[in-house]
Amino acid sequence: HEIGARRRANLVQQTLSNAVVAGVSVRIEAAVNPVTLPTNRGWYIDFNLVSGERIVTNPEIETGGGVVLTTYQPNPNSCQGGGNAYLNVFNFATGGSFPLPELDVNGDNKLSSGDQSGGKNPVSMYLGNVFASAATILPTAGNTGGITARKLVSTSNIQVQSTGDRGGTRQRSGWWEVR
């Protein structure tokens, strides 16, 4: 436990809050704490808004600097199946939201203030009572309504959810610091 605490001492915590946009449960960050390199070695987020939520796919970094991942919260009753999934897009440099909306939460095929909650840009959106795969990031032709890519997520109810995004194609799936 102490090793984890020491590692966190050099990281900046970002905190999620629940909100709703156009009837969709989302997560926002009321304030994005600044990450000052090299004093801070990065950021972290505790997925603690619902019990047991965890990252279940490999995070991907897309052009534009988004870290894309899905999380899953299993049913708290271990005798029953099911659970809830979320699509997340964080700014890789800060762990926070971007200055403009990243996710077409309201599904109107444009990124605008209609995708915000109280002026805050969501970093996460509820996918449903499903298990979700990692997002497949596909560029779109052109820039319609600010959407330059689509995130396709396969879910356990045999659906593919498509969400418009300002990001781009998959850039890399990890990196190492070389000194």
Side-chain angles (χ1 to χ4, degrees):
H1 179 52
E2 186 174 320
I3 291 174
R6 256 188 279 149
R7 289 181 183 161
R8 284 184 175 217
N10 293 329
L11 300 174
V12 175
Q13 182 177 14
Q14 305 297 2
T15 304
L16 301 175
S17 299
N18 289 317
V20 176
V21 172
V24 177
S25 293
V26 298
R27 281 133 177 213
I28 60 170
E29 295 166 322
V32 177
N33 298 315
V35 177
T36 308
L37 297 173
T39 304
N40 306 123
R41 301 197 55 119
W43 53 269
Y44 71 96
I45 294 172
D46 286 325
F47 291 98
N48 57 5
L49 293 177
V50 292
S51 177
E53 185 176 3
R54 61 202 70 169
I55 297 172
V56 294
T57 59
N58 290 326
E60 296 185 40
I61 297 178
E62 62 185 352
T63 52
V67 177
V68 181
L69 56 102
T70 56
T71 57
Y72 181 70
Q73 180 241 342
N75 187 325
N77 183 342
S78 60
C79 295
Q80 295 179 350
N84 299 301
Y86 301 84
L87 173 63
N88 303 271
V89 180
F90 301 101
N91 181 317
F92 83 96
T94 65
S97 61
F98 287 87
L100 298 170
E102 279 291 307
L103 298 169
D104 181 22
V105 177
N106 65 7
D108 66 354
N109 289 316
K110 62 183 177 182
L111 297 169
S112 66
S113 60
D115 297 305
Q116 296 177 321
S117 174
K120 301 289 183 185
N121 296 318
V123 293
S124 178
M125 65 184 283
Y126 181 65
L127 296 174
N129 185 252
V130 294
F131 185 86
S133 70
T136 298
I137 305 165
L138 297 176
T140 59
N143 178 342
T144 305
I147 293 175
T148 58
R150 299 216 61 93
K151 304 223 177 327
L152 305 177
V153 179
S154 299
T155 57
S156 58
N157 62 353
I158 315 172
Q159 301 290 315
V160 175
Q161 294 193 30
S162 175
T163 304
D165 181 276
R166 189 177 307 278
T169 58
R170 179 178 164 177
Q171 185 80 5
R172 56 180 92 105
S173 57
W175 65 91
W176 291 94
E177 180 180 339
V178 179
R179 291 184 183 225

